[in-house]
Amino acid sequence: DEYQWKGPFYFIQGADPQFGLMKAWAVGDTNNGDDEWGEEIKLAEQAVQAINKLNPKPKFFVLCGDLIHGMPGTQWRKDQEQDLKNVLKNTDQDIPLVFVSGNHDIGNTPTRETIDNYCKNWGDDYFSFWVGGVFFLVLNSQLYFDSSKCPELKQAQDVWLSEQLAVAKIRKCKHIIVFQHIPLFLRKPDEDHDYFNLEKSVRQEIMEKFHKAGIKAVFSGHYHRNAGGFYRGLEMVVSSAIGCQLGEDTHGLRVVVVTDEKIVHRYYSLNELSSQGIGKELLDMLAKQN
């Protein structure tokens, strides 16, 4: 049923609720300072309440990684995960949740064990799904960042991705959209490599693969600021955090409208989305039946 295009729809993208980072950042100890996350709980609750009020309902709510701050093996991790699950349980049952693994969820240098633990808690670290004729791919971007401790897992994702893109071609999907935690790039496809993007040669290979496959957009988080740019028609969308802000943006969520021809998105502060809902220009797009 979901292989068929049925007209415009929308979904909600959030990133980096990262329970524990606000305190850690404030005290200047990002390794051990994450022993409080009351503020993040409130923000995540506000996000869920805002999403539940939306009419029409979004097709799904995707969280693009760094669900919590505590790295694998750290003291507060289990409590942070449990508190986030308790908040997310209140999401309207008609709105599916989609989880993407971030570096804090599986480690900067993931291992088979850290990935297995993530999968037990949140679901597969990479997978695909269809909504109304649109093909969505969720990727584990840590395998592109540093797969030195689990090279066979990176290879498995690469093989799987090629197979998925071949399927998409045969099925003639309306659009292909990717979710991952680490952006390919922040503003320019040829920018220098740093903590917040992927290494240049890796990036180039992925961008070319995505471009050839006709992928329209990649949505990510990780940067705790809004950013983005284009590579040969492929849009890189970097969304700021539900939790800790590292720039001038507000705690927020991105509303993404998928129409017959294009993908249109806008970042809303949690306060704005709570009080006013989705803007008229996006609602008008959703109302247009093809």
Side-chain angles (χ1 to χ4, degrees):
D1 191 37
E2 291 297 342
Y3 293 137
Q4 304 307 315
W5 175 252
K6 306 187 194 76
F9 65 87
Y10 82 102
F11 62 86
I12 302 289
Q13 183 220 4
D16 302 272
Q18 204 157 343
F19 283 21
L21 176 59
M22 289 171 91
K23 164 89 186 291
W25 192 257
V27 299
D29 181 0
T30 52
N31 292 327
N32 307 297
D34 58 335
D35 59 342
E36 289 174 29
W37 49 91
E39 191 125 10
E40 284 98 337
I41 290 176
K42 282 193 201 128
L43 291 162
E45 284 173 344
Q46 189 182 0
V48 167
Q49 285 159 9
I51 291 167
N52 287 346
K53 279 201 302 197
L54 295 173
N55 186 21
K57 287 188 199 309
K59 287 287 187 185
F60 60 87
F61 171 28
V62 58
L63 273 171
C64 280
D66 282 1
L67 307 173
I68 51 152
H69 182 66
M71 286 279 191
T74 56
Q75 187 176 1
W76 307 108
R77 182 178 174 88
K78 284 223 172 356
D79 291 343
Q80 290 168 359
E81 286 184 329
Q82 193 52 56
D83 284 352
L84 178 58
K85 285 180 181 179
N86 290 342
V87 173
L88 293 174
K89 270 183 205 150
N90 296 316
T91 310
D92 186 308
Q93 60 186 27
D94 295 329
I95 304 170
L97 292 164
V98 177
F99 298 109
V100 182
S101 62
N103 56 304
H104 283 263
D105 305 311
I106 58 176
N108 286 320
T109 307
T111 65
R112 184 177 283 279
E113 185 189 12
T114 65
I115 291 173
D116 282 349
N117 284 338
Y118 170 85
C119 293
K120 282 190 196 108
N121 258 307
W122 302 102
D124 291 341
D125 59 322
Y126 59 88
F127 56 97
S128 63
F129 61 97
W130 289 80
V131 175
V134 177
F135 191 44
F136 292 93
L137 292 161
V138 171
L139 297 180
N140 178 346
S141 56
Q142 280 325 111
L143 295 175
Y144 296 126
F145 191 80
D146 182 359
S147 64
S148 58
K149 288 188 179 164
C150 55
E152 74 288 356
L153 297 184
K154 178 188 183 291
Q155 192 184 357
Q157 177 171 260
D158 288 344
V159 169
W160 172 86
L161 179 57
S162 297
E163 288 166 356
Q164 296 295 306
L165 295 176
V167 167
K169 196 172 182 182
I170 295 162
R171 287 252 181 214
K172 299 197 169 23
C173 50
K174 186 64 78 174
H175 305 291
I176 311 173
I177 295 173
V178 171
F179 299 120
Q180 60 187 57
H181 178 61
I182 302 180
L184 297 168
F185 58 89
L186 298 174
R187 291 195 170 80
K188 295 187 176 141
D190 61 350
E191 70 197 17
D192 289 340
H193 166 55
D194 66 23
Y195 176 76
F196 288 112
N197 60 20
L198 291 178
E199 194 273 318
K200 267 179 150 175
S201 62
V202 174
R203 178 196 319 167
Q204 188 58 42
E205 191 183 329
I206 298 170
M207 290 189 307
E208 220 14 68
K209 184 184 270 193
F210 286 3
H211 167 68
K212 282 196 179 117
I215 290 171
K216 288 275 175 70
V218 177
F219 288 87
S220 72
H222 189 52
Y223 191 44
H224 295 255
R225 288 157 280 221
N226 287 307
F230 285 88
Y231 172 80
R232 301 176 70 183
L234 166 72
E235 186 174 11
M236 181 67 243
V237 185
V238 185
S239 292
S240 198
I242 294 170
C244 189
Q245 300 300 312
L246 301 183
E248 303 301 306
D249 295 297
T250 49
H251 308 282
L253 294 164
R254 193 173 292 277
V255 175
V256 186
V257 175
V258 183
T259 76
D260 190 17
E261 283 156 15
K262 57 191 177 180
I263 294 149
V264 184
H265 52 86
R266 187 180 150 200
Y267 186 83
Y268 288 85
S269 75
L270 294 180
N271 290 342
E272 190 184 6
L273 199 60
S274 301
S275 58
Q276 295 161 31
I278 299 172
K280 185 176 181 311
E281 76 283 7
L282 294 184
L283 284 173
D284 287 348
M285 284 182 183
L286 287 170
K288 283 186 183 148
Q289 283 310 313
N290 300 335

